[in-house]
Amino acid sequence: VQLQASGGGLVQAGDSLRLSCAASGRTLRNYRMGWFRQAPGKEREFVAAFSSSGNTYYADSVKGRFTISRDNAKSTAYLQMNSLKPEDTAVYYCAADVPPTAILSNIRRQSAFDYWGQGTLVTVSS
């Protein structure tokens, strides 16, 4: 499975962006997908994810502002980011667990995902 993240860019605080993560190499039906981000000088952190049943999970820092979704027909996941803040500036990575084998309670951990995209940079200016 290859993941291609896109949609990053430079925006101002309060703006919105939608990131996409397109999967290729296999039609995704039973899978989990997550978004992580890494800010300069910081460790990669969990942002959002959905389970194979469609349940969604969010980091407290983005809850209410970000929405993760998927289009199974396109094997694509999305991260809609609203009310962006300068502290959201980071490289955003999508990741997939195909088929889902990790314990669901670990869905916020990087180790729960086997496949990773290359990252897309989001810069939010104040």
Side-chain angles (χ1 to χ4, degrees):
V1 176
Q2 294 81 44
L3 302 177
Q4 179 72 40
S6 62
L10 172 63
V11 297
Q12 293 187 331
D15 286 350
S16 298
L17 272 179
R18 188 178 77 159
L19 305 183
S20 299
C21 180
S24 61
R26 185 189 306 184
T27 300
L28 301 185
R29 293 187 176 88
N30 183 26
Y31 66 104
R32 296 171 186 161
M33 190 165 282
W35 288 93
F36 292 77
R37 67 186 181 186
Q38 187 166 19
K42 296 187 177 181
E43 294 186 352
R44 192 175 300 185
E45 64 177 5
F46 170 78
V47 176
F50 58 74
S51 67
S52 56
S53 62
N55 292 326
T56 55
Y57 306 83
Y58 295 94
D60 289 343
S61 59
V62 306
K63 198 173 296 183
R65 299 188 298 122
F66 290 11
T67 303
I68 189 172
S69 62
R70 62 183 174 179
D71 185 332
N72 287 340
K74 297 181 179 179
S75 292
T76 300
Y78 304 96
L79 184 68
Q80 177 66 42
M81 305 185 296
N82 298 329
S83 302
L84 283 162
K85 304 176 181 179
E87 51 264 43
D88 294 319
T89 295
V91 176
Y92 284 72
Y93 299 90
C94 60
D97 184 14
V98 182
T101 57
I103 299 173
L104 184 58
S105 60
N106 290 339
I107 199 169
R108 292 176 172 82
R109 299 183 182 182
Q110 297 180 54
S111 58
F113 297 89
D114 298 322
Y115 302 96
W116 289 81
Q118 84 290 358
T120 184
L121 176 63
V122 173
T123 303
V124 184
S125 63
S126 57

